[in-house]
Amino acid sequence: MGRGLRQDKNGKAQVIRATGRWSQEAEARFLGELAATANVRAAAAAAGFSTTAIYKRRAAWPGFSAAWDAALDQGYARIEALLIAGACDALSGAGAVAGAVAGEAPPSALVGEGPPLAAGMTVDQAMNLLRLHRASARGGAPQRYDARAKPTDLGAVRASILRKVAAIERVDARTAAGRGEAGTAE
């Protein structure tokens, strides 16, 4: 058993005995996969650990948590760059895949070079991942997004808007009537 150094919750360095099978190599595999895919489950599997063990390690080791956040940000930036490159290729007609623009092909089909996104990830899934990340990075609740949602019925939207406009007009009419009565009493 070796010794390790970790930072405790108060920020002080603490020498501990390293136990278990976690190693610098396992951590490097996890962080590398996380930076490549922005997928914690896939990164944990690549390192040979369960997601529960990985999340527990993140909670206990502030240095690992910081490295995790940096790798995740790198992964999101990579996915965003691949999507942008794919969209540019699709718009220019260079190497575009017809179904890729509609979200039916994996983004790796859009990109000529570089490692592909996570296996089986579609453009819609990558876009959803970026939406969720944007909400968490800004400190808000994740956006509720469903790629399989049915298209909105325009008639229902129009009726909803008209109901709201009518409600606003009723409030305005009451307010104007209230001001008129107050104005005549003076």
Side-chain angles (χ1 to χ4, degrees), residues 5 17 19 26 28 30 35 38 67 73 77 91-92 97 101 106 120 135 137 150 156 165 177:
L5 186 66
R17 235 185 317 178
T19 60
F30 172 79
D73 285 341
L91 290 174
S92 69
V97 177
V101 176
K150 294 180 181 175
V165 168

Side-chain angles (χ1 to χ4, degrees), residues 14-15 17 28 35 38 93 126 142:
Q14 181 180 27
V15 177
R17 235 185 317 178

